[in-house]
Amino acid sequence: MRELQVLIAFGGFVALLLWGVHMVQTGVQRAFGKSLGLWMNRAMGSPSRAFGTGLLVTAAIQSSTATGLMITGFALDGLVPLVPGLAAMLGANVGTTLIVQALAFDPTALAPGLILAGVWMFRHYEPGRTRDLGRALIGLGLLLLALHQLVTLFEPLQKAPLLGSTLLALTDAPVIALAVSAALTWASHSSVAVVVLIMSLAHHGLAPPELAYALVLGANLGTAVNPVLEGGDNGNPAARRVPMGNLGTRIAGGLLGLALLPWSGPLMTALGGGAHGVANFHLLFNLTVAACFLPVLRPYARLLQWLLPPRTDPHDPARPQYLDESAREVPAVALGQAAREALRLTDLLRESLRLTEQALLREDPRAAGQARYLNGAISQLDRAVTTYLATQDQESLSAEDAQYLKSILTFSMNIAHAADVSGMGLLGHASRLHKQHWALDAEQQAELVEVLARLQRNLRQAAALFVSGDRTVARALAFEKEHFRDLEARAAERHLERIKTGHIAAADVSAFYLEILRDAGGVNACLVNAAAYPILDRHGELRPNRLRKTE
């Protein structure tokens, strides 16, 4: 019975430790997540800067796994080259050791004050950065309390025969110990929590140095698995180069560490025994791996490129067809190619809207999936156009070319945004319509068919306007916003009437239909912003109400 109570307490404190780490990570990410991502993207220009960036971000969010997933996402989007991405991963692995070093000094006395300050910030501030930082402080306090309780719990276990025999068996099988620790780290998404647990075992002499260091090697290996499994690859092996490269450095370091384990005990004892020895080994291991791989990242990157070549699908809609790198020498040709690629976005959006209509009116889940796939392709293609134009030599552009470049970017960005609005709004409504088993009435269905047909017509006008620059067509397209506002106003009146007459079920559907019209109006607004407004703005006719006064 006593053993069961101890086991339950052990599981509870480990869970509290993991939850504290989770709260710190989510608190910092909510407070600075977007800013951290933007700063990371800008700061990773060279391997040395990328290394420092990965180190600092990991020290801030207390998770090399989270940092690895962010870097993998940047690499997947083509925003980070391979060599800086690998360097940032090495920095992230060193950054997590700084957290462990701080926890090795047992700052448990700070826990009550951190929790008190965190709860006060969380309860007295509106949702925002200050409240999120309060959440992080609560998590840090819980982490320290859990660590202290684990240390206390292990004291009476020093003489437990079952635990002793288990750890003794693992001591004689360092490879198995490494695998167990790697699996635990992968499952918990936190190498910090696992290393802290190992420090507690070492502090009470439950884990001899060789076993503790083998477990640390496993924790370092396990934290590299999550970005590989969760980073995504879009079916392209080239997108897996950064996480697989990081996993390769962890495997190489782990094998080297296992080979040197028999000689590591005396060295670590000289640097400090117990928990401090574990923390120091963790730091020394990651510094050694970084020192070995940083000088050879370029040949290592070439090896990864050979092992994971890009997969090109000629039928992939996200694959650029006109962005010719050799055309950069002649700006007019390069801009023309980018414009042709931007017009491809309208073709993809046209098909996506057709499939969205099927998903809304026929409740076709297959059409919804195809539409989402096309919307993702539009987003990737827009990024390709933006990157192609952003890297064009600006000094070689004339004033007219610079204006044309700006109009292409505006058109591409707004068409991609229209796809986002359609995907998150209209396709989301289609899914909700199916789940709630709602049905639009005949009037709503007929009106929705007309609305979607009008969107298709306006999309064709936007594409034609992008090529012709006709001011008359631009005015007509700009006035389409008024039509969608009128539709929404009439639907809102019908919704109020149904509420007044007490038709609650019909009112729920009419409120839902009103949301559909608003998102359709949002898609139309993106089309107007893409093609009509840039032309009218150049002639001082930006807004439709200004046009109305002049006509």
Side-chain angles (χ1 to χ4, degrees), residues 312-341:
T312 57
D313 180 4
H315 303 292
D316 182 6
R319 181 171 175 264
Q321 296 182 5
Y322 302 109
L323 301 182
D324 188 357
E325 292 296 325
S326 62
R328 292 182 180 277
E329 298 180 3
V330 184
V333 176
L335 294 179
Q337 298 293 81
R340 294 177 68 188
E341 202 69 66

Side-chain angles (χ1 to χ4, degrees), residues 6 15-16 71 84 223 431 529 549:
V6 171
L16 183 62
I71 297 169
T223 195
S431 176
N529 294 340
K549 292 179 182 178

Side-chain angles (χ1 to χ4, degrees), residues 3 42 45 54 94 106 109 122 126 141 170 183 210 216 326 376 489 510:
E3 290 78 5
R42 291 193 299 265
V94 174
D106 189 22
F122 192 85
E126 296 295 324
L170 289 177
E210 286 191 19
V216 169
S326 62
S510 66

Side-chain angles (χ1 to χ4, degrees), residues 473-521:
V473 178
R475 291 193 191 98
L477 182 58
F479 280 127
E480 283 295 303
K481 276 192 172 183
E482 297 294 327
H483 174 77
F484 280 85
R485 289 193 189 102
D486 292 340
L487 277 177
E488 185 180 335
R490 290 197 298 270
E493 291 176 0
R494 293 197 301 268
H495 175 57
L496 291 175
E497 286 298 324
R498 288 174 178 174
I499 294 177
K500 291 177 182 178
T501 55
H503 293 86
I504 303 301
D508 289 340
V509 176
S510 66
F512 170 75
Y513 177 67
L514 187 58
E515 293 178 10
I516 295 177
L517 290 183
R518 285 171 180 163
D519 285 327

Side-chain angles (χ1 to χ4, degrees), residues 396-408:
S396 64
L397 299 178
S398 65
E400 184 178 355
D401 287 340
Q403 181 63 39
Y404 190 30
L405 184 149
K406 182 179 178 182
S407 67
I408 298 171

Side-chain angles (χ1 to χ4, degrees), residues 87-110:
M89 287 290 204
L90 292 173
N93 295 325
V94 174
T96 195
T97 65
L98 302 181
I99 307 162
V100 174
Q101 285 289 329
L103 295 176
F105 291 96
D106 189 22
T108 309
L110 301 175

Side-chain angles (χ1 to χ4, degrees), residues 68 77 103 176 186 217 263 285 318 322 420 426 455 516 541:
D77 292 338
L103 295 176
I176 297 177
W186 165 77
L217 294 175
W263 297 276
F285 169 77
Y322 302 109
D420 290 339
L426 297 179
L455 282 179
I516 295 177
E541 304 178 39

